[in-house]
Amino acid sequence: MGATERVYRTIGGVPLRYARSSPPIQPMYARSTREFEHKLDHFSYNLATAAPTWYGPLRYIATAGAYVNKPTYHGRGRAFDLDIVAWRRVACRPLSQHHRNRQLNRRRRYIGVDALARRWFKYVLDGWYNAAHRDHLHLDDGGGALVFNTGYRSDTVFIQKAANMMIGRRLKIDGIYGPNTDRAFHIMKNRVDVPHRVSVSPRIYRRFLWRLAVHALRNRPL
Amino acid sequence: MTQPRHRRIRHVVVAICAALLVAACGDAATSDPVDVEQPNAAPAADPSPAASVSDDGPTGETPSAGPSAAALAASGLEGATLYGITGRSTGTVGGSEGLVAVGAVDGQAAAWTSEDGTTWQAASISTDRREEQFRAVAMAPNLMVAVAGSDEEASTVWTSVDGTSWSPIEASGIEARLNGLVFANEKFFAVGDLIAGDLPAEGGEAVTGVIYSSLGGWKWKFTTNKFRTSEATYSDIARRGDTVTVSSFDPDGGVMWVDVPGRQWKSITKGFGSATIQGVASRYRGFVALGRRIHDLQPFAWTSDDGFKWTRKKLDPEVFRPDDQIHDMTSVRAKLIAVGASPEGGVVWTSSDGLTWTRGP
């Protein structure tokens, strides 16, 4: 019912594209609930405003789809597979596995986009979460409050990778929130001047994610 | 100096409208608490009605949607989502023929029967496990079987004699989420997927497709899990003679799996690229599948004589509208029937050849 109540080809005014066909970039229609579309609008707006001005304006966002007929959140119109975020001068391409690109600035850009997605979607499954997501970011709004959950593999692998890329740690990306991960997360929160209540306060966690993204998109360590 | 009465009334009306406008703007301005560093003025919500396309289409094949008589749900299916459909054979319910559909209303299990496919009556669901939405249904000569689930757990199996009342069975042996069901060659076959075994089910994504089979619908036997593809969904299963076809899709598009005795499962991707496959059924000759192109929602039918070589044909986007969900397709008495949902409720489509479809009611 509500899963396809909205059919749209832009989010936040930015054109949607499909990049998995031939010719490779096609205009794309996505379907979802109205509420989920609004979250995508916010996410798109964050992508535009968090990026440095030299990126240029957002050109398009490529997706592999939102609603599709399958179990859980895609089937409920509450999930979105993100393939590419293209600004005028640069792009973040999960589709091209930028999470493991040789260039640090591209990996950091991926972390920045990943962080901004987490400000609106509890489950963000990225290239470090598992092999199935090596070529896209899965975003959905299940999973409860927008806080950091130490028991969620998707949250923990993200923080571990962010610590490695943004403060030079060498954490094992295993999704297990142990003392080393906790210490590294502690340092990152201190560096962006955010209190430590990220597991209980969505507002604080989202503030941390914003500041992390701003640094990552500028290829600056914390 | 006093104003004339009609002018005073007009001023009062204008004042009330202005007050309402200010109140509405005030709500919008304060509805989204923002962080200091995030200038987060949310983009305005599109005020267009539900199930509308918010921009012009990219090509001449623009999906279009909007309220119309054709978009309304079939009688008795208002607010419903249909996930499965099957025929009802002669001999049940006083010798009548008809259809049985299963699905959900407001997220709760529901089933319906119909004599003509136009008017539907709700069936009785004899359990309090209503949060398990029905996902598929199939008919054997003296028994109907449906599968249901809540997405996060393994599916449950339900049975019914005639489709008018349904009861769950215990300990079916199924450990997967099932999406498709068929009865062929004296057996039930079900297809679905497993969530990643040792990973938490964040996002609920599956990694492996599975097939189960059952002689009587009560005990199910694991048959194969050879469909290991990345993040795929296994949507439906059909059988004709000894050939079994399983439809699936992932972010890259559709994959049809075909099995004939003595051969390995073979995956067919030619013709299915950048499309989802929602249903597959046997027909008078071979198979037919139903789905959509991902980027522009163009509906397609695929036909095949042998399950290996498929021919694609565009379907009318006014019959399968962009905001329609297509969930299942089956063949009943030489007719093909597909079911799904529009924003208004359950929808039934019929076809004689799989290439030209009529939208219900």
Side-chain angles (χ1 to χ4, degrees), chain B residues 54-69:
Chain B
S54 53
D55 288 289
D56 296 330
T59 66
E61 301 168 33
T62 301
S64 62
S68 74

mmCIF file with all atom_site columns, all heavy atoms in Angstrom, chain B residues 54-69:
data_model
loop_
_atom_site.group_PDB
_atom_site.id
_atom_site.type_symbol
_atom_site.label_atom_id
_atom_site.label_alt_id
_atom_site.label_comp_id
_atom_site.label_asym_id
_atom_site.label_entity_id
_atom_site.label_seq_id
_atom_site.pdbx_PDB_ins_code
_atom_site.Cartn_x
_atom_site.Cartn_y
_atom_site.Cartn_z
_atom_site.occupancy
_atom_site.B_iso_or_equiv
_atom_site.pdbx_formal_charge
_atom_site.auth_seq_id
_atom_site.auth_comp_id
_atom_site.auth_asym_id
_atom_site.auth_atom_id
_atom_site.pdbx_PDB_model_num
ATOM 1   N N   . SER B 1 54 ? 6.194   13.118 -9.490  1.00 0.00 ? 54 SER B N   1
ATOM 2   C CA  . SER B 1 54 ? 6.446   14.502 -9.110  1.00 0.00 ? 54 SER B CA  1
ATOM 3   C C   . SER B 1 54 ? 7.171   15.304 -10.181 1.00 0.00 ? 54 SER B C   1
ATOM 4   O O   . SER B 1 54 ? 7.354   16.481 -10.036 1.00 0.00 ? 54 SER B O   1
ATOM 5   C CB  . SER B 1 54 ? 7.243   14.534 -7.817  1.00 0.00 ? 54 SER B CB  1
ATOM 6   O OG  . SER B 1 54 ? 8.398   13.756 -7.928  1.00 0.00 ? 54 SER B OG  1
ATOM 7   N N   . ASP B 1 55 ? 7.604   14.674 -11.263 1.00 0.00 ? 55 ASP B N   1
ATOM 8   C CA  . ASP B 1 55 ? 8.279   15.401 -12.328 1.00 0.00 ? 55 ASP B CA  1
ATOM 9   C C   . ASP B 1 55 ? 7.847   14.853 -13.673 1.00 0.00 ? 55 ASP B C   1
ATOM 10  O O   . ASP B 1 55 ? 7.202   13.833 -13.772 1.00 0.00 ? 55 ASP B O   1
ATOM 11  C CB  . ASP B 1 55 ? 9.800   15.253 -12.221 1.00 0.00 ? 55 ASP B CB  1
ATOM 12  C CG  . ASP B 1 55 ? 10.317  16.042 -11.053 1.00 0.00 ? 55 ASP B CG  1
ATOM 13  O OD1 . ASP B 1 55 ? 10.303  17.277 -11.126 1.00 0.00 ? 55 ASP B OD1 1
ATOM 14  O OD2 . ASP B 1 55 ? 10.701  15.416 -10.059 1.00 0.00 ? 55 ASP B OD2 1
ATOM 15  N N   . ASP B 1 56 ? 8.267   15.556 -14.696 1.00 0.00 ? 56 ASP B N   1
ATOM 16  C CA  . ASP B 1 56 ? 7.983   15.044 -16.023 1.00 0.00 ? 56 ASP B CA  1
ATOM 17  C C   . ASP B 1 56 ? 8.816   13.806 -16.287 1.00 0.00 ? 56 ASP B C   1
ATOM 18  O O   . ASP B 1 56 ? 9.863   13.614 -15.709 1.00 0.00 ? 56 ASP B O   1
ATOM 19  C CB  . ASP B 1 56 ? 8.320   16.104 -17.080 1.00 0.00 ? 56 ASP B CB  1
ATOM 20  C CG  . ASP B 1 56 ? 7.428   17.323 -16.916 1.00 0.00 ? 56 ASP B CG  1
ATOM 21  O OD1 . ASP B 1 56 ? 6.295   17.144 -16.450 1.00 0.00 ? 56 ASP B OD1 1
ATOM 22  O OD2 . ASP B 1 56 ? 7.891   18.407 -17.237 1.00 0.00 ? 56 ASP B OD2 1
ATOM 23  N N   . GLY B 1 57 ? 8.375   13.011 -17.201 1.00 0.00 ? 57 GLY B N   1
ATOM 24  C CA  . GLY B 1 57 ? 9.092   11.784 -17.495 1.00 0.00 ? 57 GLY B CA  1
ATOM 25  C C   . GLY B 1 57 ? 10.332  12.033 -18.314 1.00 0.00 ? 57 GLY B C   1
ATOM 26  O O   . GLY B 1 57 ? 10.465  13.070 -18.962 1.00 0.00 ? 57 GLY B O   1
ATOM 27  N N   . PRO B 1 58 ? 11.277  11.083 -18.313 1.00 0.00 ? 58 PRO B N   1
ATOM 28  C CA  . PRO B 1 58 ? 12.524  11.267 -19.029 1.00 0.00 ? 58 PRO B CA  1
ATOM 29  C C   . PRO B 1 58 ? 12.409  11.042 -20.523 1.00 0.00 ? 58 PRO B C   1
ATOM 30  O O   . PRO B 1 58 ? 13.186  11.567 -21.299 1.00 0.00 ? 58 PRO B O   1
ATOM 31  C CB  . PRO B 1 58 ? 13.424  10.190 -18.410 1.00 0.00 ? 58 PRO B CB  1
ATOM 32  C CG  . PRO B 1 58 ? 12.475  9.129  -17.941 1.00 0.00 ? 58 PRO B CG  1
ATOM 33  C CD  . PRO B 1 58 ? 11.216  9.847  -17.579 1.00 0.00 ? 58 PRO B CD  1
ATOM 34  N N   . THR B 1 59 ? 11.491  10.246 -20.946 1.00 0.00 ? 59 THR B N   1
ATOM 35  C CA  . THR B 1 59 ? 11.380  9.906  -22.359 1.00 0.00 ? 59 THR B CA  1
ATOM 36  C C   . THR B 1 59 ? 9.914   9.858  -22.733 1.00 0.00 ? 59 THR B C   1
ATOM 37  O O   . THR B 1 59 ? 9.047   10.143 -21.930 1.00 0.00 ? 59 THR B O   1
ATOM 38  C CB  . THR B 1 59 ? 11.970  8.514  -22.624 1.00 0.00 ? 59 THR B CB  1
ATOM 39  O OG1 . THR B 1 59 ? 11.152  7.556  -21.953 1.00 0.00 ? 59 THR B OG1 1
ATOM 40  C CG2 . THR B 1 59 ? 13.398  8.403  -22.146 1.00 0.00 ? 59 THR B CG2 1
ATOM 41  N N   . GLY B 1 60 ? 9.687   9.453  -23.942 1.00 0.00 ? 60 GLY B N   1
ATOM 42  C CA  . GLY B 1 60 ? 8.312   9.265  -24.370 1.00 0.00 ? 60 GLY B CA  1
ATOM 43  C C   . GLY B 1 60 ? 7.618   8.145  -23.617 1.00 0.00 ? 60 GLY B C   1
ATOM 44  O O   . GLY B 1 60 ? 6.405   8.031  -23.635 1.00 0.00 ? 60 GLY B O   1
ATOM 45  N N   . GLU B 1 61 ? 8.424   7.295  -22.959 1.00 0.00 ? 61 GLU B N   1
ATOM 46  C CA  . GLU B 1 61 ? 7.845   6.180  -22.216 1.00 0.00 ? 61 GLU B CA  1
ATOM 47  C C   . GLU B 1 61 ? 7.629   6.562  -20.760 1.00 0.00 ? 61 GLU B C   1
ATOM 48  O O   . GLU B 1 61 ? 7.816   5.772  -19.861 1.00 0.00 ? 61 GLU B O   1
ATOM 49  C CB  . GLU B 1 61 ? 8.758   4.975  -22.287 1.00 0.00 ? 61 GLU B CB  1
ATOM 50  C CG  . GLU B 1 61 ? 9.029   4.508  -23.694 1.00 0.00 ? 61 GLU B CG  1
ATOM 51  C CD  . GLU B 1 61 ? 10.155  3.512  -23.725 1.00 0.00 ? 61 GLU B CD  1
ATOM 52  O OE1 . GLU B 1 61 ? 10.292  2.750  -22.764 1.00 0.00 ? 61 GLU B OE1 1
ATOM 53  O OE2 . GLU B 1 61 ? 10.898  3.518  -24.696 1.00 0.00 ? 61 GLU B OE2 1
ATOM 54  N N   . THR B 1 62 ? 7.266   7.801  -20.548 1.00 0.00 ? 62 THR B N   1
ATOM 55  C CA  . THR B 1 62 ? 7.118   8.310  -19.200 1.00 0.00 ? 62 THR B CA  1
ATOM 56  C C   . THR B 1 62 ? 6.127   7.499  -18.391 1.00 0.00 ? 62 THR B C   1
ATOM 57  O O   . THR B 1 62 ? 5.009   7.283  -18.817 1.00 0.00 ? 62 THR B O   1
ATOM 58  C CB  . THR B 1 62 ? 6.590   9.745  -19.261 1.00 0.00 ? 62 THR B CB  1
ATOM 59  O OG1 . THR B 1 62 ? 7.509   10.508 -19.991 1.00 0.00 ? 62 THR B OG1 1
ATOM 60  C CG2 . THR B 1 62 ? 6.455   10.317 -17.874 1.00 0.00 ? 62 THR B CG2 1
ATOM 61  N N   . PRO B 1 63 ? 6.536   7.048  -17.202 1.00 0.00 ? 63 PRO B N   1
ATOM 62  C CA  . PRO B 1 63 ? 5.529   6.444  -16.337 1.00 0.00 ? 63 PRO B CA  1
ATOM 63  C C   . PRO B 1 63 ? 4.530   7.514  -15.926 1.00 0.00 ? 63 PRO B C   1
ATOM 64  O O   . PRO B 1 63 ? 4.910   8.653  -15.664 1.00 0.00 ? 63 PRO B O   1
ATOM 65  C CB  . PRO B 1 63 ? 6.330   5.977  -15.126 1.00 0.00 ? 63 PRO B CB  1
ATOM 66  C CG  . PRO B 1 63 ? 7.736   6.142  -15.458 1.00 0.00 ? 63 PRO B CG  1
ATOM 67  C CD  . PRO B 1 63 ? 7.841   7.098  -16.598 1.00 0.00 ? 63 PRO B CD  1
ATOM 68  N N   . SER B 1 64 ? 3.316   7.165  -15.899 1.00 0.00 ? 64 SER B N   1
ATOM 69  C CA  . SER B 1 64 ? 2.337   8.127  -15.418 1.00 0.00 ? 64 SER B CA  1
ATOM 70  C C   . SER B 1 64 ? 1.480   7.453  -14.374 1.00 0.00 ? 64 SER B C   1
ATOM 71  O O   . SER B 1 64 ? 1.241   6.267  -14.421 1.00 0.00 ? 64 SER B O   1
ATOM 72  C CB  . SER B 1 64 ? 1.462   8.604  -16.565 1.00 0.00 ? 64 SER B CB  1
ATOM 73  O OG  . SER B 1 64 ? 0.745   7.524  -17.108 1.00 0.00 ? 64 SER B OG  1
ATOM 74  N N   . ALA B 1 65 ? 1.079   8.212  -13.411 1.00 0.00 ? 65 ALA B N   1
ATOM 75  C CA  . ALA B 1 65 ? 0.221   7.662  -12.372 1.00 0.00 ? 65 ALA B CA  1
ATOM 76  C C   . ALA B 1 65 ? -0.698  8.759  -11.911 1.00 0.00 ? 65 ALA B C   1
ATOM 77  O O   . ALA B 1 65 ? -0.424  9.930  -12.077 1.00 0.00 ? 65 ALA B O   1
ATOM 78  C CB  . ALA B 1 65 ? 1.047   7.151  -11.211 1.00 0.00 ? 65 ALA B CB  1
ATOM 79  N N   . GLY B 1 66 ? -1.749  8.363  -11.319 1.00 0.00 ? 66 GLY B N   1
ATOM 80  C CA  . GLY B 1 66 ? -2.683  9.336  -10.808 1.00 0.00 ? 66 GLY B CA  1
ATOM 81  C C   . GLY B 1 66 ? -4.013  8.676  -10.616 1.00 0.00 ? 66 GLY B C   1
ATOM 82  O O   . GLY B 1 66 ? -4.251  7.593  -11.131 1.00 0.00 ? 66 GLY B O   1
ATOM 83  N N   . PRO B 1 67 ? -4.859  9.305  -9.853  1.00 0.00 ? 67 PRO B N   1
ATOM 84  C CA  . PRO B 1 67 ? -6.112  8.659  -9.569  1.00 0.00 ? 67 PRO B CA  1
ATOM 85  C C   . PRO B 1 67 ? -6.943  8.493  -10.831 1.00 0.00 ? 67 PRO B C   1
ATOM 86  O O   . PRO B 1 67 ? -7.046  9.404  -11.639 1.00 0.00 ? 67 PRO B O   1
ATOM 87  C CB  . PRO B 1 67 ? -6.778  9.620  -8.585  1.00 0.00 ? 67 PRO B CB  1
ATOM 88  C CG  . PRO B 1 67 ? -5.948  10.827 -8.530  1.00 0.00 ? 67 PRO B CG  1
ATOM 89  C CD  . PRO B 1 67 ? -4.680  10.593 -9.253  1.00 0.00 ? 67 PRO B CD  1
ATOM 90  N N   . SER B 1 68 ? -7.447  7.334  -11.021 1.00 0.00 ? 68 SER B N   1
ATOM 91  C CA  . SER B 1 68 ? -8.376  7.080  -12.108 1.00 0.00 ? 68 SER B CA  1
ATOM 92  C C   . SER B 1 68 ? -9.213  5.887  -11.708 1.00 0.00 ? 68 SER B C   1
ATOM 93  O O   . SER B 1 68 ? -8.877  5.168  -10.780 1.00 0.00 ? 68 SER B O   1
ATOM 94  C CB  . SER B 1 68 ? -7.643  6.777  -13.409 1.00 0.00 ? 68 SER B CB  1
ATOM 95  O OG  . SER B 1 68 ? -7.099  5.486  -13.361 1.00 0.00 ? 68 SER B OG  1
ATOM 96  N N   . ALA B 1 69 ? -10.279 5.673  -12.439 1.00 0.00 ? 69 ALA B N   1
ATOM 97  C CA  . ALA B 1 69 ? -11.146 4.544  -12.102 1.00 0.00 ? 69 ALA B CA  1
ATOM 98  C C   . ALA B 1 69 ? -10.369 3.241  -12.169 1.00 0.00 ? 69 ALA B C   1
ATOM 99  O O   . ALA B 1 69 ? -10.565 2.336  -11.360 1.00 0.00 ? 69 ALA B O   1
ATOM 100 C CB  . ALA B 1 69 ? -12.324 4.510  -13.061 1.00 0.00 ? 69 ALA B CB  1
#
